[in-house]
Amino acid sequence: MTGDTIENNGKKESNSPPHLPIEVLMYIFQFLHLSDLKCARLVCRSWYEASQDTKLICKEIVNFNCNGTAVGSLITDVTNSSREFLHFVFKEEEVRWNWPGLWTQFGPSIKSLYIFNCDIRERDFTNILLQCESLESIRLSGCRELLMSGGLLRDQEEIKQLQNVLINLKELVVSHNSYLSDALLNRLVAIAPNLQSVSLEGCQISFHMGLYKKFYPKHSTESQEGKENIDEATDNEFKAMESSSILTFRNILYHITSRSRQLHSLCFSRTLIDSPALTQLAKVADLKLKNLKLAGCEQLTNAGIVVLTEHQNRLRSLDLSCCSRVTDPSMIAICRSLPDLEDLCVRRCRAISNIGVAEVVKLRNLVKLDLSNCDMVTSDGILAGLCNKGNAKLRQLYLSGINNMTEDTVVKLAESLPFLTHLDLGYCITAVTDTALQAIFQHQVSLQYLKLSGCNKITDVGLTGMVTHSSQSIASTSNLPVNHFDETNLAGGMKSRLRISLKSRAEEEIVIDAERKKAILQLFQDSIPTISGLGFSLSRLKGLCSLNLSGCARITDISLCHAFKFLELKYLDLTQCCQVTESGLAALALNNSSLESLVLSMCYNVCDDAVEALCKNLQRLKYLDLSACEKLTNASVMSIAKHGKSLRHLDMRRCDRLAVCQDVSINHIPSLLLPPAAVDPNEDLSPPPPVPPMPRKK
């Protein structure tokens, strides 16, 4: 931000550019990724001050997941900071109230508090909540020590104090807690007078009337199946009989009914909720849900979903993933009765077919659609539901595992949905080809997330857009016959067509891949002078942040050198891309400096020099997976220790040539996965001789 100073008529003038107003900087920083924002705040003081805006701080989370590091040192670092932190996550730690200065300093400003599988005492939990007067969201997952005794918030005076403190608490998540009971739920709900969202995912909720009669014998005679409302007399009796041994849907329904005007988000995922219970929930008076999650609810059927769509027609987000009994009638009811729906997930609803998917065309406000692993869906359903009338609002589309889709369908999708930012076509083996890729790169240039895992028909031709003539088919080299390179010389000469190969099929594939690589490289060199003949390269996706190409074994260094040039790319998965070598990875590291996560598992040609190039040039790299890279030795470990200062996770399992497993120079990496034992490369690894049998007694 400074420049040279020159003299003009005896006056000193500076040619440094003027500082941008802090309001302009704050507006620009809103579009930055969190890692980019962290780097931007180190430029100068004015940029640092601009990065402290509340809207920007809300993106940051303080994660106390020490992985063996002393939690006391982390507490000291946080409390010594002059910055403001709004979101705290504790995972598998011992959370205490008496941590010096943490809760008194940051408690009044905390917006969200997430506690996962932590050991926390009841008194400490109460004292912490009393300090968090700005708390908006609290999540308790798997905290068995906190709920096991059933004594949490037993004092009514504490509940009254917390009601006055937690007036901003709107979200309560109590997931995967097997000790949650009616009594505990009543107390937790009581401390949040303005609650709007409740999640009971994975909790053991009793929906069976028999168990309810066992624990509430007096009240069971007044409970009728399908009853919509609860009268005042029943309420008073019910509240006086809260059980500390069971969590019943009848009790949950009471709280939903009493707060029906303010609740708009519920989650019963991975519970035993069935259609009768969902019918009671949908018919609650004055309940206007916007978000409902029912993922993994195997007991749900079409009857419950149809009633839900009739009474809760203002839903904007609905998750029915892994509900095996949900079929086409449910999809038809959803698409016809929920005009405001923006997010629909029916992943692994394997009974849904083209009939239901064709109705998606009626959801004109849909922003996110997940149809992954719906095995009965084919190209006809996709074309009818998504391509007949393009949805300009659709941004995220997940079609992983739909094997009955064709290449022409992907091309049509690319033309009909040009504004997609997220696209998942993983394991669509027959549909994703070089031609399909070219259509994606041509039309969907706004993509930020692209998953093509398991699409083994992809080659360098599709990723780089190389063609020799503008009229030539894009996929001409990807569909070459097996014996093409044996018959045709790269220089133009013809070999004998009577030659019979005695190689095995595996050996022939290795030779063909090598010859294909040479041929494609020659195609790329020939295509450079004729720009008009070039296709569409992966590099057209300027805003790409995440790319998954795992299992695309035909990709070579050519693509890494010529198609991977991104400023925003943060995540890249090249698992089982066995033709990737040092030259390609070196070019990748030079042209993609923002990479933070890189997966190279089972890339057998990755060597020590490649690891050194990656660690030298990728200064932001935090996650590196090199498992089963058999050529790596201790030189890679030394390169990582020297240059990989930002690494937080390293996986080098099954790297059998590593001579040292636990090197002190890489102990700074919190998550470190190495081979179980040290291996000397010169050591004889043959098995020891068998132990002689014990002599028999005579």
Side-chain angles (χ1 to χ4, degrees):
M1 300 296 293
T2 60
D4 298 330
T5 302
I6 58 176
E7 292 188 1
N8 186 10
N9 297 328
K11 298 181 180 181
K12 292 185 177 181
E13 296 181 356
S14 176
N15 63 353
S16 61
H19 290 280
L20 290 174
I22 190 170
E23 294 81 6
V24 176
L25 289 173
M26 290 164 55
Y27 177 76
I28 295 174
F29 288 170
Q30 292 180 13
F31 300 95
L32 295 183
H33 190 271
L34 181 58
S35 58
D36 298 325
L37 181 62
K38 291 172 61 178
C39 295
R41 67 163 50 105
L42 301 176
V43 173
C44 61
R45 182 177 295 275
S46 61
W47 285 33
Y48 175 79
E49 293 175 353
S51 68
Q52 300 306 303
D53 181 46
T54 305
K55 295 181 180 179
L56 302 175
I57 295 178
C58 286
K59 297 181 179 180
E60 302 178 0
I61 298 175
V62 181
N63 191 347
F64 288 89
N65 186 10
C66 301
N67 291 325
T69 307
V71 68
S73 61
L74 298 179
I75 298 295
T76 303
D77 294 339
V78 173
T79 53
N80 290 337
S81 174
S82 60
R83 295 184 51 213
E84 186 179 17
F85 300 106
L86 304 180
H87 307 284
F88 284 79
V89 175
F90 297 91
K91 185 176 181 181
E92 298 178 354
E93 294 295 336
E94 188 176 0
V95 182
R96 290 292 175 259
W97 156 250
N98 58 0
W99 282 337
L102 180 68
W103 303 113
T104 55
Q105 180 178 348
F106 298 102
S109 61
I110 290 179
K111 297 293 185 182
S112 66
L113 180 62
Y114 301 165
I115 303 177
F116 297 104
N117 299 326
C118 292
D119 182 10
I120 178 172
R121 293 191 289 260
E122 297 168 1
R123 174 54 53 186
D124 289 343
F125 180 72
T126 303
N127 291 334
I128 290 171
L129 290 185
L130 287 172
Q131 291 290 328
C132 302
E133 58 187 28
S134 300
L135 192 65
E136 297 178 358
S137 174
I138 181 169
R139 298 189 180 186
L140 302 173
S141 178
C143 298
R144 57 195 303 268
E145 300 294 336
L146 180 64
L147 305 177
M148 184 184 296
S149 67
L152 178 65
L153 301 174
R154 182 172 293 174
D155 189 353
Q156 292 297 324
E157 292 298 325
E158 291 180 348
I159 294 179
K160 292 180 180 179
Q161 294 179 15
L162 288 171
Q163 285 178 346
N164 297 327
V165 173
L166 302 177
I167 57 175
N168 296 314
L169 185 59
K170 299 178 182 179
E171 182 183 22
L172 174 63
V173 179
V174 193
S175 60
H176 303 285
N177 287 294
S178 57
Y179 291 98
L180 184 64
S181 63
D182 285 342
L184 289 172
L185 181 64
N186 293 346
R187 299 168 199 167
L188 290 171
V189 172
I191 65 176
N194 298 315
L195 199 61
Q196 298 179 3
S197 175
V198 177
S199 174
L200 298 173
E201 179 180 356
C203 292
Q204 297 180 4
I205 304 174
S206 175
F207 296 90
H208 196 276
M209 188 57 63
L211 289 175
Y212 179 76
K213 292 178 180 180
K214 177 181 179 181
F215 288 92
Y216 298 101
K218 295 182 180 180
H219 186 62
S220 61
T221 57
E222 301 183 14
S223 298
Q224 301 296 332
E225 184 177 358
K227 190 175 181 180
E228 299 179 14
N229 300 316
I230 309 170
D231 55 29
E232 185 177 356
T234 302
D235 286 352
N236 294 333
E237 183 181 359
F238 183 69
K239 285 188 287 187
M241 296 181 60
E242 52 184 25
S243 172
S244 59
S245 303
I246 190 172
L247 177 63
T248 62
F249 178 71
R250 186 67 179 81
N251 186 36
I252 298 170
L253 190 62
Y254 159 73
H255 290 293
I256 295 174
T257 304
S258 61
R259 298 171 182 248
S260 59
R261 294 184 180 272
Q262 65 187 54
L263 279 175
H264 62 72
S265 179
L266 293 175
C267 177
F268 287 95
S269 296
R270 293 166 183 85
T271 64
L272 297 177
I273 187 172
D274 52 10
S275 292
L278 185 60
T279 299
Q280 295 182 38
L281 174 65
K283 292 182 177 182
V284 170
D286 298 325
L287 182 63
K288 304 297 181 183
L289 289 178
K290 295 182 180 179
N291 305 293
L292 181 60
K293 294 183 179 181
L294 300 170
C297 298
E298 295 288 345
Q299 303 300 320
L300 281 181
T301 61
N302 293 329
I305 302 299
V306 171
V307 175
L308 174 69
T309 58
E310 292 175 355
H311 292 83
Q312 301 296 326
N313 53 14
R314 296 186 181 180
L315 277 173
R316 295 183 180 177
S317 176
L318 181 59
D319 187 355
L320 296 174
S321 57
C322 302
C323 295
S324 58
R325 299 186 182 184
V326 173
T327 61
D328 291 330
S330 294
M331 281 292 292
I332 295 173
I334 290 170
C335 297
R336 293 180 180 180
S337 303
L338 303 179
D340 298 329
L341 195 64
E342 298 176 358
D343 183 356
L344 176 59
C345 180
V346 288
R347 174 188 292 264
R348 293 188 180 180
C349 295
R350 302 184 185 277
I352 293 177
S353 67
N354 294 336
I355 299 174
V357 175
E359 296 290 325
V360 175
V361 70
K362 298 178 181 179
L363 298 175
R364 305 308 301 169
N365 293 314
L366 198 62
V367 177
K368 177 182 176 181
L369 177 62
D370 191 344
L371 297 173
S372 300
N373 301 111
C374 294
D375 299 336
M376 298 180 65
V377 177
T378 65
S379 294
D380 296 336
I382 299 295
L383 292 174
L386 296 174
C387 300
N388 281 346
K389 298 179 181 179
N391 187 348
K393 294 185 178 181
L394 191 62
R395 293 293 180 270
Q396 301 183 28
L397 181 60
Y398 302 89
L399 301 175
S400 177
I402 300 183
N403 297 321
N404 297 322
M405 194 165 52
T406 63
E407 173 188 284
D408 295 335
T409 305
V410 178
V411 174
K412 188 64 177 178
L413 279 173
E415 297 173 353
S416 304
L417 304 172
F419 303 109
L420 285 184
T421 59
H422 292 63
L423 179 61
D424 182 359
L425 296 174
Y427 299 98
C428 297
I429 301 174
T430 59
V432 181
T433 62
D434 290 337
T435 304
L437 276 188
Q438 287 294 287
I440 293 173
F441 300 157
Q442 179 181 1
H443 300 285
Q444 297 177 329
V445 293
S446 300
L447 282 176
Q448 300 175 7
Y449 171 94
L450 181 59
K451 184 177 180 181
L452 302 171
S453 55
C455 300
N456 53 18
K457 289 188 176 182
I458 297 175
T459 67
D460 295 323
V461 174
L463 291 175
T464 59
M466 298 176 299
V467 288
T468 54
H469 301 92
S470 59
S471 59
Q472 183 178 353
S473 173
I474 299 295
S476 58
T477 58
S478 62
N479 297 323
L480 288 175
V482 174
N483 58 353
H484 173 80
F485 293 107
D486 290 336
E487 297 176 358
T488 307
N489 194 327
L490 294 177
M494 300 296 295
K495 293 184 178 180
S496 174
R497 294 182 179 271
L498 300 178
R499 180 178 178 180
I500 300 176
S501 176
L502 299 179
K503 302 175 183 177
S504 65
R505 184 171 181 178
E507 292 173 332
E508 288 183 355
E509 287 293 335
I510 294 174
V511 174
I512 291 171
D513 285 340
E515 295 293 340
R516 182 185 287 112
K517 183 177 180 180
K518 295 179 182 179
I520 295 174
L521 181 59
Q522 185 64 41
L523 283 173
F524 187 85
Q525 295 173 351
D526 293 342
S527 298
I528 292 179
T530 58
I531 302 298
S532 60
L534 292 178
F536 301 96
S537 173
L538 174 66
S539 58
R540 279 173 55 88
L541 310 182
K542 300 296 183 182
L544 194 63
C545 297
S546 176
L547 178 61
N548 190 332
L549 294 171
S550 60
C552 300
R554 297 186 179 185
I555 297 175
T556 70
D557 295 333
I558 299 174
S559 294
L560 298 186
C561 293
H562 301 287
F564 284 72
K565 297 178 181 180
F566 301 101
L567 296 176
E568 303 289 335
L569 190 62
K570 302 290 190 300
Y571 175 87
L572 178 60
D573 190 344
L574 295 175
T575 301
Q576 292 183 331
C577 295
C578 301
Q579 300 191 54
V580 171
T581 64
E582 175 194 353
S583 60
L585 292 176
L588 175 72
L590 289 173
N591 298 325
N592 302 271
S593 58
S594 297
L595 265 177
E596 298 178 3
S597 299
L598 180 60
V599 182
L600 297 173
S601 178
M602 291 182 281
C603 294
Y604 303 115
N605 287 318
V606 175
C607 60
D608 295 330
D609 293 337
V611 175
E612 182 179 7
L614 291 172
C615 295
K616 278 185 177 181
N617 297 291
L618 298 178
Q619 298 299 320
R620 295 189 184 183
L621 193 62
K622 298 179 181 179
Y623 183 101
L624 181 59
D625 187 349
L626 298 171
S627 57
C629 294
E630 298 177 350
K631 290 187 177 181
L632 299 185
T633 65
N634 258 26
S636 295
V637 177
M638 300 306 296
S639 299
I640 293 171
K642 184 177 181 181
H643 304 289
K645 301 301 182 182
S646 299
L647 273 179
R648 310 296 296 170
H649 175 89
L650 176 63
D651 189 349
M652 298 187 73
R653 291 173 294 180
R654 293 183 292 169
C655 296
D656 298 332
R657 297 184 65 184
L658 288 182
V660 178
C661 308
Q662 298 177 351
D663 195 303
V664 294
S665 58
I666 57 174
N667 282 343
H668 68 280
I669 302 176
S671 179
L672 188 60
L673 301 174
L674 293 174
V679 177
D680 185 355
N682 299 321
E683 183 181 356
D684 184 12
L685 298 180
S686 58
V691 178
M694 294 291 294
R696 295 182 179 181
K697 295 182 180 181
K698 296 182 179 180

